[in-house]
């Protein structure tokens, strides 16, 4: 008795198209505060928001001279990880290095560079106010465009999700299986 693979292939195809594919997606960083490559005037805590709940967070805030500025342990609140930083941070370049574990056990890690530019003291006056004004407004325009762009808030992710490859290779496997089963046998 010969059994046709067509009903099984159709059932598998219906399962793929029914919306079960998003289960193959992995957790990623959705946004952060501060954002990547931005300038901030003050920083009390770092906030990382992921696409789903995470666990076992490690957050390291490294500043000028390679010194670390995190204060205490990171706190997890669903998909958000909060890390307090030291009270007085000097101006300069900083990097937030993070590592968390997603619900499915995959580690997620990355780095977020930013720059801390403390506001001028009330007693300070710029040496050349005419020359400083255009550059300050240009920097403000660049900051506004970086903060306003949605690309700055989205974490780097692969160009093609993994579930798409699973579907493509699954369909190819079904086609090959059907071709072998339907060929004429000598």
């Amino acid at each position: 008795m010969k059994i046709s693979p067509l009903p099984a292939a159709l059932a598998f195809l219906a399962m793929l198209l029914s919306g079960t594919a998003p289960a193959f997606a992995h957790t990623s960083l959705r946004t952060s505060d501060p954002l990547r490559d931005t300038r901030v005037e003050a920083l009390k805590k770092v906030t990382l928001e992921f696409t789903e709940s995470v666990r076992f967070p490690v957050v390291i805030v490294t500043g000028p001279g390679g010194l670390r500025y995190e204060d205490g342990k990171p706190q997890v609140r669903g998909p958000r990880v909060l890390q307090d930083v030291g009270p007085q941070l000097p101006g300069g370049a900083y990097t937030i290095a993070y590592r968390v574990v997603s619900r499915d056990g995959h580690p997620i890690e990355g780095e977020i560079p930013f720059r801390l530019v403390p506001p001028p003291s009330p007693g300070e006056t710029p040496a050349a106010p005419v020359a400083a004004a255009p550059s300050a407004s240009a920097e403000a325009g660049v900051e506004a465009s970086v903060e306003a762009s949605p690309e700055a808030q989205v974490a780097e992710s692969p160009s093609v999700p993994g579930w798409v490859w699973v579907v493509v290779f699954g369909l190819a496997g079904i086609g090959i299986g059907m071709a072998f089963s339907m060929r004429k046998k000598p």
Side-chain angles (χ1 to χ4, degrees):
M1 175 176 180
K2 183 175 179 180
I3 299 175
S4 173
L6 188 59
L10 289 175
F12 182 72
L13 184 61
M15 182 188 72
L16 286 176
L17 298 177
S18 69
T20 56
F24 294 113
H26 289 287
T27 305
S28 62
L29 182 67
R30 179 178 293 163
T31 186
S32 66
D33 182 26
L35 294 171
R36 177 180 298 278
D37 297 324
T38 59
R39 295 175 183 256
V40 296
E41 290 186 357
L43 184 66
K44 299 284 185 203
K45 68 178 163 185
V46 170
T47 304
L48 306 172
E49 186 173 344
F50 296 89
T51 54
E52 61 183 29
S53 295
V54 294
R55 54 192 171 157
F56 308 123
V58 175
V59 179
I60 298 172
V61 181
T62 308
L67 298 174
R68 291 176 56 171
Y69 291 95
E70 66 271 7
D71 186 20
K73 293 186 177 185
Q75 302 168 5
V76 177
R77 294 186 182 148
R80 299 179 83 189
V81 175
L82 307 170
Q83 173 67 60
D84 292 328
V85 295
Q88 293 291 335
L89 301 178
Y94 286 81
T95 301
I96 301 165
Y98 64 89
R99 181 180 172 95
V100 295
V101 177
S102 66
R103 285 190 294 177
D104 62 358
H106 287 90
I108 298 112
E109 56 187 29
E111 292 184 348
I112 303 167
F114 69 96
R115 182 166 285 281
L116 182 69
V117 182
S121 301
E124 286 184 26
T125 57
V130 174
S135 66
S137 65
E139 286 180 9
V142 169
E143 287 177 29
S145 67
V146 167
E147 291 179 2
S149 71
E151 292 83 15
Q153 295 183 356
V154 177
E156 296 176 17
S157 62
S159 58
V160 179
W163 66 268
V164 172
W165 292 111
V166 170
V167 170
V168 168
F169 287 115
L171 291 174
I174 290 171
I176 291 170
M178 288 179 67
F180 277 124
S181 68
M182 295 178 147
R183 67 185 166 111
K184 289 191 174 195
K185 298 187 174 64

